[in-house]
Amino acid sequence: MDLTITDVRLTPILVADPPLLNTQGVHQPYTPRLIIEVETADGVTGLGETYGDTKYLELARPFAGRLLGRSVADHNGLFTVMNGVDVDRERVVDQVDVGGLRGVQTADKLRLSVVSGFEVACLDALGKALGLPVHALLGGKVRDAVEYSAYLFYKWAEHPAGVAAERDDWGAALDPAGVVEQARKFTERYGFTSFKLKGGVFPPEEEIAAVRALAEAFPGHPLRLDPNGAWSVETSLTVAKELGDVLEYLEDPALGTDAMAEVAARAGVPLATNMCVTTFAEIPDAFTRGAVQVVLSDHHYWGGLRNTQRLAAICRTFGVGVSMHSNTHLGISLAAMTHVAATVPGLHHACDSHYPWQSEDVLTQRLTFDAGRVTVTDTPGLGVELDHDRLAFLHRRWLDDDGTLRDRDDAAAMRVAEPGWETPSVPRW
Ligand SMILES: O=C([O-])C(=O)C[C@H](O)[C@@H](O)C(=O)[O-]
Ligand SMILES: [Mg+2]
């Protein structure tokens, strides 16, 4: 068996995204992703997926070239190789990440987000070569299915008039009744039983009313609200008081470890984050100050599946819960998330997934949710197959774009409907 990498193919694509609202603005009609294919000397191909914005492509291209001749089994080596890839200073000086949802941009955050897609591709190739599923390469599954939650968004019925976009059948959700209606569709279509509402869009009273309406419509079901740090400490405390009896947790109510620690100390509701703890370096301060009770890991952020397991072990040590964050990913990443989640003991919260919002994929067969769960496959590798025609079609869309959509920018997408729109300063309320 020859595990030497002989070819790496990088295919940036644009995939349809509905008009989902968040505190920054609205999702673009098409969002960039990068599909990674790593081929071995024996002709085995591994698949990976990560962010497709220019700043990631800039790193992925030289990185891919340096992997030729290395082994798909050398996962530690990926980090060493990536450390040698220069990050343009322009990308990290005074920059926040896309949409401002992951704090200050650093060279490491960019590098790890790229490495993650390659690590998944190498694990997929290695698993296929050895005849083992990815979860077995990670030490073996401790569960046979992984539970996901319904990721509810305030949403327009369609993208602004005149904007080229795919239509969706979810309808609008701009008030409590619309949010409950969307939640019902999620339960009917996928069987989810936990609900997360993306907040920070409307004044807190309206979002409190929406969560109350969900609690009435789905009594006893786990509920979460995530304004992406849009609230002050005082507003966060008010929301926590109003919703404390129905929330499983409040997600990133305020921005930064200082504010989160203050809210956590006084709120009486557990706080979850995918914003103030997104790297290992951020853990000591946040954990010792009790700023977060659940870390929403994301293998794209943390540098892959093995780092996700390491994060989970640290969380266990500190008595902090772990679950998963997600944004606009396709089936390759959902498969990767499912494999790693299957190996993590004590996963007490249903994981987030945007997948139901992504009507387009690059797989021959979409992954499915059964009673809100994805079954953990024992097929070698990730257990998914690339549809080359679909990939070519979505890549053609990326090639045809004049550059407007190649870098996700929710505020720019919002300006199409509201010309004066600027990314709101935080705290917004
Ligand atoms: O949980 C979260 O914070 C997210 O999923 C961040 C995402 O970027 C989400 O807000 C989105 O895509 O609008
Ligand atoms: Mg979040």
Side-chain angles (χ1 to χ4, degrees), residues 201-277:
V201 175
F202 294 115
E205 316 77 76
E206 293 183 38
E207 299 188 352
I208 289 169
V211 174
R212 280 263 155 235
L214 284 171
E216 258 172 53
F218 302 95
H221 289 248
L223 303 178
R224 307 117 182 226
L225 177 59
D226 174 16
N228 282 116
W231 302 332
S232 66
V233 168
E234 288 314 317
T235 303
S236 303
L237 290 168
T238 305
V239 176
K241 194 163 160 238
E242 294 282 333
L243 294 178
D245 57 326
V246 295
L247 283 181
E248 176 186 13
Y249 54 68
L250 196 52
E251 185 173 326
D252 288 309
L255 212 54
T257 299
D258 289 347
M260 288 284 281
E262 205 180 330
V263 177
R266 296 163 59 199
V269 175
L271 301 190
T273 189
N274 59 267
M275 295 178 76
C276 85
V277 179

Side-chain angles (χ1 to χ4, degrees), residues 369-391:
F369 297 93
D370 183 16
R373 292 173 154 76
V374 176
T375 301
V376 182
T377 179
D378 291 325
T379 305
L382 291 172
V384 297
E385 212 182 301
L386 191 61
D387 180 332
H388 293 275
D389 292 340
R390 283 306 291 166
L391 182 67

Side-chain angles (χ1 to χ4, degrees), residues 28 57-58 80 86 94 111 134 146 149 204 222 235 243 278 389 427:
Q28 300 175 166
L57 297 182
E58 279 170 4
T80 320
D86 289 333
D94 296 331
R111 288 195 181 102
V134 165
V146 172
S149 64
T235 303
L243 294 178
T278 66
D389 292 340

Side-chain angles (χ1 to χ4, degrees), residues 40-346:
T40 70
D42 283 346
V44 175
T45 303
L47 301 175
E49 172 194 337
T50 190
Y51 297 99
D53 309 68
T54 313
K55 63 191 176 193
Y56 301 105
L57 297 182
E58 279 170 4
L59 300 183
R61 288 184 176 125
F63 183 57
R66 292 178 192 207
L67 296 184
L68 300 179
R70 302 183 68 92
S71 167
V72 289
D74 181 12
H75 305 132
N76 292 333
L78 293 173
F79 295 86
T80 320
V81 175
M82 184 48 108
N83 282 340
V85 175
D86 289 333
V87 174
D88 183 349
R89 273 183 58 75
E90 293 274 299
R91 296 284 182 210
V92 288
V93 175
D94 296 331
Q95 298 281 326
V96 286
D97 76 304
V98 58
L101 298 174
R102 193 184 160 195
V104 176
Q105 188 124 90
T106 68
D108 262 356
K109 287 184 186 176
L110 290 177
R111 288 195 181 102
L112 291 173
S113 298
V114 175
V115 168
S116 65
F118 286 81
E119 188 232 35
V120 168
C122 286
L123 284 165
D124 185 34
L126 182 62
K128 284 172 177 160
L130 297 174
L132 291 172
V134 165
H135 68 74
L137 302 179
L138 297 172
K141 61 182 177 183
V142 296
R143 59 182 63 79
D144 293 319
V146 172
E147 191 185 356
Y148 288 87
S149 64
Y151 200 145
L152 311 179
F153 273 88
Y154 287 110
K155 178 184 175 297
W156 295 331
E158 51 197 49
H159 284 283
V163 169
E166 309 304 310
R167 291 188 70 84
D168 68 73
D169 65 354
W170 289 90
L174 296 164
D175 55 20
V179 169
V180 169
E181 177 57 23
Q182 190 186 91
R184 282 202 199 290
K185 284 192 179 136
F186 265 103
T187 55
E188 282 161 22
R189 294 177 184 185
Y190 306 102
F192 296 123
T193 55
S194 308
F195 303 94
K196 156 171 167 169
L197 175 61
K198 172 60 47 167
V201 175
F202 294 115
E205 316 77 76
E206 293 183 38
E207 299 188 352
I208 289 169
V211 174
R212 280 263 155 235
L214 284 171
E216 258 172 53
F218 302 95
H221 289 248
L223 303 178
R224 307 117 182 226
L225 177 59
D226 174 16
N228 282 116
W231 302 332
S232 66
V233 168
E234 288 314 317
T235 303
S236 303
L237 290 168
T238 305
V239 176
K241 194 163 160 238
E242 294 282 333
L243 294 178
D245 57 326
V246 295
L247 283 181
E248 176 186 13
Y249 54 68
L250 196 52
E251 185 173 326
D252 288 309
L255 212 54
T257 299
D258 289 347
M260 288 284 281
E262 205 180 330
V263 177
R266 296 163 59 199
V269 175
L271 301 190
T273 189
N274 59 267
M275 295 178 76
C276 85
V277 179
T278 66
T279 64
F280 289 101
E282 290 162 333
I283 288 178
D285 191 34
F287 283 16
T288 50
R289 293 168 69 193
V292 298
Q293 286 67 54
V294 182
V295 173
L296 303 171
S297 115
D298 179 326
H299 73 270
H300 305 92
Y301 284 8
W302 289 83
L305 306 187
R306 292 158 69 253
N307 270 0
T308 302
Q309 291 183 302
R310 293 182 181 116
L311 166 65
I314 297 172
C315 287
R316 271 200 304 285
T317 311
F318 282 84
V320 169
V322 66
S323 186
M324 278 193 195
H325 161 262
S326 118
N327 58 36
T328 55
H329 62 83
L330 302 181
I332 298 172
S333 280
L334 182 61
M337 290 159 70
T338 303
H339 278 279
V340 69
T343 70
V344 171

